[in-house]
PDB file of all heavy atoms in Angstrom:
ATOM      1  N   GLY A 357     -56.511  41.106 -42.601  1.00 87.00           N
ATOM      2  CA  GLY A 357     -55.111  40.731 -42.454  1.00 87.00           C
ATOM      3  C   GLY A 357     -54.888  39.230 -42.366  1.00 87.00           C
ATOM      4  O   GLY A 357     -53.790  38.800 -42.033  1.00 87.00           O
ATOM      5  N   THR A 358     -55.933  38.427 -42.661  1.00 91.00           N
ATOM      6  CA  THR A 358     -55.758  36.967 -42.603  1.00 91.00           C
ATOM      7  C   THR A 358     -54.537  36.526 -43.392  1.00 91.00           C
ATOM      8  O   THR A 358     -53.738  35.718 -42.917  1.00 91.00           O
ATOM      9  CB  THR A 358     -57.002  36.265 -43.176  1.00 91.00           C
ATOM     10  OG1 THR A 358     -58.159  36.813 -42.559  1.00 91.00           O
ATOM     11  CG2 THR A 358     -56.940  34.780 -42.916  1.00 91.00           C
ATOM     12  N   SER A 359     -54.381  37.070 -44.597  1.00 91.00           N
ATOM     13  CA  SER A 359     -53.258  36.630 -45.423  1.00 91.00           C
ATOM     14  C   SER A 359     -51.924  37.048 -44.815  1.00 91.00           C
ATOM     15  O   SER A 359     -50.921  36.363 -45.019  1.00 91.00           O
ATOM     16  CB  SER A 359     -53.394  37.148 -46.847  1.00 91.00           C
ATOM     17  OG  SER A 359     -54.077  38.346 -46.901  1.00 91.00           O
ATOM     18  N   ALA A 360     -51.906  38.152 -44.060  1.00 92.00           N
ATOM     19  CA  ALA A 360     -50.654  38.540 -43.394  1.00 92.00           C
ATOM     20  C   ALA A 360     -50.261  37.483 -42.378  1.00 92.00           C
ATOM     21  O   ALA A 360     -49.125  36.999 -42.365  1.00 92.00           O
ATOM     22  CB  ALA A 360     -50.818  39.893 -42.710  1.00 92.00           C
ATOM     23  N   PHE A 361     -51.216  37.073 -41.528  1.00 93.00           N
ATOM     24  CA  PHE A 361     -50.917  36.067 -40.506  1.00 93.00           C
ATOM     25  C   PHE A 361     -50.589  34.726 -41.146  1.00 93.00           C
ATOM     26  O   PHE A 361     -49.630  34.057 -40.758  1.00 93.00           O
ATOM     27  CB  PHE A 361     -52.106  35.931 -39.545  1.00 93.00           C
ATOM     28  CG  PHE A 361     -52.262  37.104 -38.633  1.00 93.00           C
ATOM     29  CD1 PHE A 361     -53.209  38.081 -38.880  1.00 93.00           C
ATOM     30  CD2 PHE A 361     -51.446  37.243 -37.521  1.00 93.00           C
ATOM     31  CE1 PHE A 361     -53.350  39.167 -38.054  1.00 93.00           C
ATOM     32  CE2 PHE A 361     -51.583  38.323 -36.679  1.00 93.00           C
ATOM     33  CZ  PHE A 361     -52.534  39.296 -36.948  1.00 93.00           C
ATOM     34  N   PHE A 362     -51.403  34.347 -42.138  1.00 92.00           N
ATOM     35  CA  PHE A 362     -51.174  33.077 -42.823  1.00 92.00           C
ATOM     36  C   PHE A 362     -49.775  33.057 -43.443  1.00 92.00           C
ATOM     37  O   PHE A 362     -49.009  32.108 -43.253  1.00 92.00           O
ATOM     38  CB  PHE A 362     -52.238  32.890 -43.908  1.00 92.00           C
ATOM     39  CG  PHE A 362     -52.087  31.634 -44.704  1.00 92.00           C
ATOM     40  CD1 PHE A 362     -52.567  30.434 -44.219  1.00 92.00           C
ATOM     41  CD2 PHE A 362     -51.461  31.650 -45.935  1.00 92.00           C
ATOM     42  CE1 PHE A 362     -52.426  29.272 -44.945  1.00 92.00           C
ATOM     43  CE2 PHE A 362     -51.314  30.484 -46.669  1.00 92.00           C
ATOM     44  CZ  PHE A 362     -51.806  29.296 -46.169  1.00 92.00           C
ATOM     45  N   GLY A 363     -49.441  34.118 -44.158  1.00 91.00           N
ATOM     46  CA  GLY A 363     -48.141  34.181 -44.829  1.00 91.00           C
ATOM     47  C   GLY A 363     -46.988  34.175 -43.842  1.00 91.00           C
ATOM     48  O   GLY A 363     -45.970  33.506 -44.073  1.00 91.00           O
ATOM     49  N   VAL A 364     -47.153  34.875 -42.732  1.00 92.00           N
ATOM     50  CA  VAL A 364     -46.092  34.864 -41.726  1.00 92.00           C
ATOM     51  C   VAL A 364     -45.933  33.449 -41.162  1.00 92.00           C
ATOM     52  O   VAL A 364     -44.806  32.995 -40.918  1.00 92.00           O
ATOM     53  CB  VAL A 364     -46.401  35.885 -40.602  1.00 92.00           C
ATOM     54  CG1 VAL A 364     -45.499  35.651 -39.403  1.00 92.00           C
ATOM     55  CG2 VAL A 364     -46.194  37.293 -41.121  1.00 92.00           C
ATOM     56  N   GLY A 365     -47.052  32.732 -41.006  1.00 91.00           N
ATOM     57  CA  GLY A 365     -46.973  31.343 -40.564  1.00 91.00           C
ATOM     58  C   GLY A 365     -46.168  30.499 -41.532  1.00 91.00           C
ATOM     59  O   GLY A 365     -45.259  29.759 -41.138  1.00 91.00           O
ATOM     60  N   VAL A 366     -46.493  30.632 -42.835  1.00 91.00           N
ATOM     61  CA  VAL A 366     -45.763  29.881 -43.866  1.00 91.00           C
ATOM     62  C   VAL A 366     -44.279  30.205 -43.792  1.00 91.00           C
ATOM     63  O   VAL A 366     -43.419  29.309 -43.774  1.00 91.00           O
ATOM     64  CB  VAL A 366     -46.307  30.234 -45.275  1.00 91.00           C
ATOM     65  CG1 VAL A 366     -45.412  29.645 -46.353  1.00 91.00           C
ATOM     66  CG2 VAL A 366     -47.723  29.741 -45.441  1.00 91.00           C
ATOM     67  N   TYR A 367     -43.955  31.491 -43.702  1.00 90.00           N
ATOM     68  CA  TYR A 367     -42.549  31.875 -43.760  1.00 90.00           C
ATOM     69  C   TYR A 367     -41.805  31.585 -42.461  1.00 90.00           C
ATOM     70  O   TYR A 367     -40.594  31.383 -42.492  1.00 90.00           O
ATOM     71  CB  TYR A 367     -42.416  33.346 -44.172  1.00 90.00           C
ATOM     72  CG  TYR A 367     -42.247  33.445 -45.664  1.00 90.00           C
ATOM     73  CD1 TYR A 367     -43.340  33.634 -46.486  1.00 90.00           C
ATOM     74  CD2 TYR A 367     -40.999  33.280 -46.254  1.00 90.00           C
ATOM     75  CE1 TYR A 367     -43.198  33.669 -47.854  1.00 90.00           C
ATOM     76  CE2 TYR A 367     -40.844  33.312 -47.609  1.00 90.00           C
ATOM     77  CZ  TYR A 367     -41.945  33.505 -48.418  1.00 90.00           C
ATOM     78  OH  TYR A 367     -41.791  33.522 -49.768  1.00 90.00           O
ATOM     79  N   VAL A 370     -40.789  28.108 -43.122  1.00 87.00           N
ATOM     80  CA  VAL A 370     -39.703  28.100 -44.108  1.00 87.00           C
ATOM     81  C   VAL A 370     -38.389  28.477 -43.447  1.00 87.00           C
ATOM     82  O   VAL A 370     -37.358  27.822 -43.636  1.00 87.00           O
ATOM     83  CB  VAL A 370     -40.022  29.078 -45.263  1.00 87.00           C
ATOM     84  CG1 VAL A 370     -38.794  29.293 -46.135  1.00 87.00           C
ATOM     85  CG2 VAL A 370     -41.171  28.567 -46.085  1.00 87.00           C
ATOM     86  N   THR A 418     -50.849  43.806 -44.196  1.00 89.00           N
ATOM     87  CA  THR A 418     -50.552  42.690 -45.098  1.00 89.00           C
ATOM     88  C   THR A 418     -49.545  43.075 -46.167  1.00 89.00           C
ATOM     89  O   THR A 418     -48.544  42.382 -46.384  1.00 89.00           O
ATOM     90  CB  THR A 418     -51.850  42.218 -45.794  1.00 89.00           C
ATOM     91  OG1 THR A 418     -52.861  42.059 -44.818  1.00 89.00           O
ATOM     92  CG2 THR A 418     -51.623  40.921 -46.533  1.00 89.00           C
ATOM     93  N   GLU A 422     -45.775  41.734 -46.655  1.00 88.00           N
ATOM     94  CA  GLU A 422     -45.457  41.035 -47.903  1.00 88.00           C
ATOM     95  C   GLU A 422     -44.244  41.665 -48.587  1.00 88.00           C
ATOM     96  O   GLU A 422     -43.328  40.971 -49.031  1.00 88.00           O
ATOM     97  CB  GLU A 422     -46.653  41.061 -48.863  1.00 88.00           C
ATOM     98  CG  GLU A 422     -46.329  40.383 -50.179  1.00 88.00           C
ATOM     99  CD  GLU A 422     -47.431  40.491 -51.216  1.00 88.00           C
ATOM    100  OE1 GLU A 422     -48.549  40.873 -50.856  1.00 88.00           O
ATOM    101  OE2 GLU A 422     -47.144  40.200 -52.386  1.00 88.00           O
ATOM    102  N   VAL A 425     -41.026  40.747 -46.823  1.00 86.00           N
ATOM    103  CA  VAL A 425     -40.575  39.385 -47.125  1.00 86.00           C
ATOM    104  C   VAL A 425     -40.029  39.303 -48.559  1.00 86.00           C
ATOM    105  O   VAL A 425     -39.029  38.638 -48.814  1.00 86.00           O
ATOM    106  CB  VAL A 425     -41.724  38.377 -46.906  1.00 86.00           C
ATOM    107  CG1 VAL A 425     -41.320  36.991 -47.377  1.00 86.00           C
ATOM    108  CG2 VAL A 425     -42.101  38.340 -45.440  1.00 86.00           C
ATOM    109  N   GLY A 518     -51.058  28.395 -41.022  1.00 89.00           N
ATOM    110  CA  GLY A 518     -50.215  28.613 -42.192  1.00 89.00           C
ATOM    111  C   GLY A 518     -48.947  27.776 -42.175  1.00 89.00           C
ATOM    112  O   GLY A 518     -48.438  27.401 -43.223  1.00 89.00           O
ATOM    113  N   GLY A 521     -48.380  24.744 -44.259  1.00 86.00           N
ATOM    114  CA  GLY A 521     -48.526  25.044 -45.684  1.00 86.00           C
ATOM    115  C   GLY A 521     -47.207  25.018 -46.425  1.00 86.00           C
ATOM    116  O   GLY A 521     -47.161  24.690 -47.613  1.00 86.00           O
ATOM    117  N   ALA A 522     -46.130  25.354 -45.738  1.00 83.00           N
ATOM    118  CA  ALA A 522     -44.815  25.339 -46.374  1.00 83.00           C
ATOM    119  C   ALA A 522     -44.460  23.918 -46.798  1.00 83.00           C
ATOM    120  O   ALA A 522     -44.010  23.674 -47.919  1.00 83.00           O
ATOM    121  CB  ALA A 522     -43.767  25.887 -45.412  1.00 83.00           C
ATOM    122  N   LEU A 525     -46.810  22.507 -49.765  1.00 82.00           N
ATOM    123  CA  LEU A 525     -46.466  22.885 -51.137  1.00 82.00           C
ATOM    124  C   LEU A 525     -44.993  22.619 -51.446  1.00 82.00           C
ATOM    125  O   LEU A 525     -44.616  22.625 -52.607  1.00 82.00           O
ATOM    126  CB  LEU A 525     -46.764  24.370 -51.370  1.00 82.00           C
ATOM    127  CG  LEU A 525     -48.236  24.757 -51.436  1.00 82.00           C
ATOM    128  CD1 LEU A 525     -48.378  26.265 -51.528  1.00 82.00           C
ATOM    129  CD2 LEU A 525     -48.897  24.108 -52.631  1.00 82.00           C
ATOM    130  N   TYR A 527     -42.799  24.601 -51.152  1.00 81.00           N
ATOM    131  CA  TYR A 527     -42.388  25.791 -51.872  1.00 81.00           C
ATOM    132  C   TYR A 527     -43.144  26.970 -51.284  1.00 81.00           C
ATOM    133  O   TYR A 527     -44.277  26.823 -50.842  1.00 81.00           O
ATOM    134  CB  TYR A 527     -42.739  25.624 -53.351  1.00 81.00           C
ATOM    135  CG  TYR A 527     -42.578  26.868 -54.180  1.00 81.00           C
ATOM    136  CD1 TYR A 527     -41.322  27.284 -54.576  1.00 81.00           C
ATOM    137  CD2 TYR A 527     -43.683  27.628 -54.551  1.00 81.00           C
ATOM    138  CE1 TYR A 527     -41.152  28.435 -55.330  1.00 81.00           C
ATOM    139  CE2 TYR A 527     -43.526  28.780 -55.307  1.00 81.00           C
ATOM    140  CZ  TYR A 527     -42.259  29.167 -55.692  1.00 81.00           C
ATOM    141  OH  TYR A 527     -42.102  30.293 -56.425  1.00 81.00           O
ATOM    142  N   ALA A 528     -42.526  28.135 -51.233  1.00 82.00           N
ATOM    143  CA  ALA A 528     -43.241  29.316 -50.760  1.00 82.00           C
ATOM    144  C   ALA A 528     -42.768  30.532 -51.537  1.00 82.00           C
ATOM    145  O   ALA A 528     -41.575  30.676 -51.801  1.00 82.00           O
ATOM    146  CB  ALA A 528     -42.991  29.530 -49.274  1.00 82.00           C
ATOM    147  N   ASP A 529     -43.698  31.364 -51.947  1.00 84.00           N
ATOM    148  CA  ASP A 529     -43.322  32.665 -52.507  1.00 84.00           C
ATOM    149  C   ASP A 529     -44.277  33.722 -51.980  1.00 84.00           C
ATOM    150  O   ASP A 529     -45.435  33.422 -51.687  1.00 84.00           O
ATOM    151  CB  ASP A 529     -43.293  32.620 -54.040  1.00 84.00           C
ATOM    152  CG  ASP A 529     -44.677  32.600 -54.626  1.00 84.00           C
ATOM    153  OD1 ASP A 529     -45.345  31.566 -54.478  1.00 84.00           O
ATOM    154  OD2 ASP A 529     -45.096  33.610 -55.210  1.00 84.00           O
ATOM    155  N   PRO A 530     -43.770  34.947 -51.815  1.00 83.00           N
ATOM    156  CA  PRO A 530     -44.565  35.984 -51.138  1.00 83.00           C
ATOM    157  C   PRO A 530     -45.896  36.254 -51.822  1.00 83.00           C
ATOM    158  O   PRO A 530     -46.924  36.410 -51.147  1.00 83.00           O
ATOM    159  CB  PRO A 530     -43.674  37.222 -51.198  1.00 83.00           C
ATOM    160  CG  PRO A 530     -42.316  36.734 -51.500  1.00 83.00           C
ATOM    161  CD  PRO A 530     -42.448  35.440 -52.212  1.00 83.00           C
ATOM    162  N   ALA A 531     -45.902  36.278 -53.162  1.00 83.00           N
ATOM    163  CA  ALA A 531     -47.128  36.665 -53.862  1.00 83.00           C
ATOM    164  C   ALA A 531     -48.267  35.697 -53.574  1.00 83.00           C
ATOM    165  O   ALA A 531     -49.421  36.108 -53.464  1.00 83.00           O
ATOM    166  CB  ALA A 531     -46.880  36.759 -55.364  1.00 83.00           C
ATOM    167  N   SER A 532     -47.982  34.389 -53.424  1.00 83.00           N
ATOM    168  CA  SER A 532     -49.088  33.480 -53.138  1.00 83.00           C
ATOM    169  C   SER A 532     -49.302  33.286 -51.638  1.00 83.00           C
ATOM    170  O   SER A 532     -50.434  33.096 -51.210  1.00 83.00           O
ATOM    171  CB  SER A 532     -48.893  32.134 -53.843  1.00 83.00           C
ATOM    172  OG  SER A 532     -47.593  31.667 -53.672  1.00 83.00           O
ATOM    173  N   ALA A 533     -48.233  33.352 -50.829  1.00 84.00           N
ATOM    174  CA  ALA A 533     -48.417  33.165 -49.389  1.00 84.00           C
ATOM    175  C   ALA A 533     -49.201  34.323 -48.780  1.00 84.00           C
ATOM    176  O   ALA A 533     -49.962  34.135 -47.832  1.00 84.00           O
ATOM    177  CB  ALA A 533     -47.066  33.025 -48.690  1.00 84.00           C
ATOM    178  N   PHE A 534     -49.008  35.532 -49.311  1.00 86.00           N
ATOM    179  CA  PHE A 534     -49.692  36.702 -48.757  1.00 86.00           C
ATOM    180  C   PHE A 534     -50.862  37.149 -49.625  1.00 86.00           C
ATOM    181  O   PHE A 534     -51.307  38.281 -49.534  1.00 86.00           O
ATOM    182  CB  PHE A 534     -48.712  37.864 -48.593  1.00 86.00           C
ATOM    183  CG  PHE A 534     -47.694  37.635 -47.517  1.00 86.00           C
ATOM    184  CD1 PHE A 534     -46.451  37.114 -47.828  1.00 86.00           C
ATOM    185  CD2 PHE A 534     -47.973  37.921 -46.196  1.00 86.00           C
ATOM    186  CE1 PHE A 534     -45.505  36.897 -46.851  1.00 86.00           C
ATOM    187  CE2 PHE A 534     -47.041  37.711 -45.214  1.00 86.00           C
ATOM    188  CZ  PHE A 534     -45.804  37.196 -45.534  1.00 86.00           C
ATOM    189  N   ASN A 535     -51.327  36.242 -50.512  1.00 84.00           N
ATOM    190  CA  ASN A 535     -52.371  36.625 -51.459  1.00 84.00           C
ATOM    191  C   ASN A 535     -53.636  37.104 -50.737  1.00 84.00           C
ATOM    192  O   ASN A 535     -54.127  36.447 -49.818  1.00 84.00           O
ATOM    193  CB  ASN A 535     -52.707  35.432 -52.340  1.00 84.00           C
ATOM    194  CG  ASN A 535     -53.417  35.852 -53.596  1.00 84.00           C
ATOM    195  OD1 ASN A 535     -54.173  36.828 -53.587  1.00 84.00           O
ATOM    196  ND2 ASN A 535     -53.169  35.152 -54.671  1.00 84.00           N
ATOM    197  N   LEU A 536     -54.141  38.251 -51.173  1.00 83.00           N
ATOM    198  CA  LEU A 536     -55.333  38.832 -50.557  1.00 83.00           C
ATOM    199  C   LEU A 536     -56.550  37.911 -50.687  1.00 83.00           C
ATOM    200  O   LEU A 536     -57.512  38.040 -49.936  1.00 83.00           O
ATOM    201  CB  LEU A 536     -55.619  40.195 -51.208  1.00 83.00           C
ATOM    202  CG  LEU A 536     -56.223  41.283 -50.321  1.00 83.00           C
ATOM    203  CD1 LEU A 536     -55.394  41.524 -49.095  1.00 83.00           C
ATOM    204  CD2 LEU A 536     -56.372  42.570 -51.114  1.00 83.00           C
ATOM    205  N   ASN A 537     -56.477  36.957 -51.639  1.00 83.00           N
ATOM    206  CA  ASN A 537     -57.584  36.012 -51.800  1.00 83.00           C
ATOM    207  C   ASN A 537     -57.872  35.242 -50.517  1.00 83.00           C
ATOM    208  O   ASN A 537     -59.011  34.922 -50.229  1.00 83.00           O
ATOM    209  CB  ASN A 537     -57.273  35.015 -52.917  1.00 83.00           C
ATOM    210  CG  ASN A 537     -57.359  35.652 -54.275  1.00 83.00           C
ATOM    211  OD1 ASN A 537     -57.391  36.861 -54.378  1.00 83.00           O
ATOM    212  ND2 ASN A 537     -57.380  34.852 -55.311  1.00 83.00           N
ATOM    213  N   TYR A 538     -56.807  34.927 -49.740  1.00 86.00           N
ATOM    214  CA  TYR A 538     -57.025  34.226 -48.472  1.00 86.00           C
ATOM    215  C   TYR A 538     -57.920  35.064 -47.572  1.00 86.00           C
ATOM    216  O   TYR A 538     -58.867  34.553 -46.969  1.00 86.00           O
ATOM    217  CB  TYR A 538     -55.695  33.964 -47.764  1.00 86.00           C
ATOM    218  CG  TYR A 538     -54.931  32.797 -48.317  1.00 86.00           C
ATOM    219  CD1 TYR A 538     -53.744  32.976 -49.003  1.00 86.00           C
ATOM    220  CD2 TYR A 538     -55.408  31.505 -48.149  1.00 86.00           C
ATOM    221  CE1 TYR A 538     -53.047  31.902 -49.516  1.00 86.00           C
ATOM    222  CE2 TYR A 538     -54.728  30.425 -48.650  1.00 86.00           C
ATOM    223  CZ  TYR A 538     -53.541  30.626 -49.340  1.00 86.00           C
ATOM    224  OH  TYR A 538     -52.865  29.572 -49.846  1.00 86.00           O
ATOM    225  N   SER A 539     -57.582  36.359 -47.466  1.00 87.00           N
ATOM    226  CA  SER A 539     -58.364  37.232 -46.589  1.00 87.00           C
ATOM    227  C   SER A 539     -59.828  37.231 -46.988  1.00 87.00           C
ATOM    228  O   SER A 539     -60.708  37.086 -46.143  1.00 87.00           O
ATOM    229  CB  SER A 539     -57.825  38.663 -46.648  1.00 87.00           C
ATOM    230  OG  SER A 539     -56.535  38.710 -46.148  1.00 87.00           O
TER     231      SER A 539
END
Side-chain angles (χ1 to χ4, degrees):
Chain A
T358 310
S359 29
F361 288 101
F362 179 82
V364 166
V366 171
Y367 267 94
V370 168
T418 312
E422 178 185 347
V425 173
L525 289 174
Y527 170 77
D529 74 290
S532 46
F534 291 95
N535 199 327
L536 214 55
N537 287 14
Y538 281 111
S539 296

